[in-house]
Amino acid sequence: MERGTETNKRKQLGARSRTAILDAALQLMSESGYEGASVAKIAKLSGLPASSIYWHFGSKAGILAAVMERGAEAFFSTADEEAEPGAASNMESPGELLRMRFQQARRSAEEHPEFLRLLFLLILANPGDEAVVSILKRANGRGRALLHAQIAEAFSARGEEESIAIADRFTVTALMVFNGAFLTV
């Protein structure tokens, strides 16, 4: 077997192992929280030894960071999908564009419920672990920035300064509504 082929197979196996670990960790953490998802349980569910988990992620906090980053990427990619070309310019009012954006957010929540469940479990548990708190702040900051940009986009016809001022005022309220809606479902 050629050395390049062997290296590619090893990379593919490593990528599959990493994915299996992240899938198992997401499932366990979204069901039992961060504290309830031990490395031993993740190893059992993924079918991989704990040594593989530590090799890929270094620590339980490293697993959480990877789970949250992968989940955030999938969640926010769906929530920020590009509308049909020219759709924003064809909207008659900011409300229409916001409605479209909130429908995208709803679809993202429906497609990625484990990520949101884990995010809220971590927030509600108020972890003392600085690494976990940092991960939560990054995910929250990314969501806030996306929502701010979408609100500003909806009011862009009023000019940049006014649209940003409107987004500044309504981003927190919109987040509270979204978070509250998710928690009550």
Side-chain angles (χ1 to χ4, degrees), residues 31-182:
E31 291 171 357
S32 306
Y34 178 67
E35 295 301 322
S38 67
V39 171
K41 288 180 182 177
I42 295 169
K44 183 177 180 180
L45 185 60
S46 70
L48 295 162
S51 60
S52 290
I53 295 171
Y54 287 112
W55 185 83
H56 281 287
F57 303 102
S59 67
K60 187 175 167 184
I63 298 167
L64 176 64
V67 164
M68 292 300 293
E69 288 185 26
R70 182 180 76 160
E73 183 60 37
F75 179 82
F76 293 123
S77 291
T78 302
D80 193 32
E81 285 177 351
E82 199 59 40
E84 291 181 33
S89 61
N90 293 331
M91 301 282 174
E92 290 186 24
S93 71
E96 287 181 276
L97 184 55
L98 286 174
R99 195 171 4 272
M100 178 193 69
R101 289 299 191 184
F102 284 131
Q103 287 171 348
Q104 286 175 289
R106 186 192 73 225
R107 188 176 70 248
S108 187
E110 290 169 351
E111 291 177 13
H112 308 286
E114 296 87 7
F115 167 72
L116 284 178
R117 188 177 314 117
L118 176 58
L119 180 64
F120 286 117
L121 279 173
L122 291 170
I123 290 169
L124 294 171
N126 193 17
D129 186 327
E130 287 183 35
V132 175
V133 171
S134 175
I135 293 163
L136 292 173
K137 285 182 179 179
R138 280 198 313 267
N140 187 39
R142 187 166 177 194
R144 184 181 301 268
L146 174 61
L147 186 55
H148 188 276
Q150 290 177 340
I151 293 171
E153 172 193 32
F155 291 93
S156 62
R158 296 186 180 193
E160 184 177 355
E161 191 174 312
E162 189 175 348
S163 67
I164 289 173
I166 291 168
D168 290 345
R169 287 195 310 268
F170 291 111
T171 297
V172 172
T173 303
L175 277 173
M176 290 184 333
V177 168
F178 180 78
N179 292 345
F182 180 77

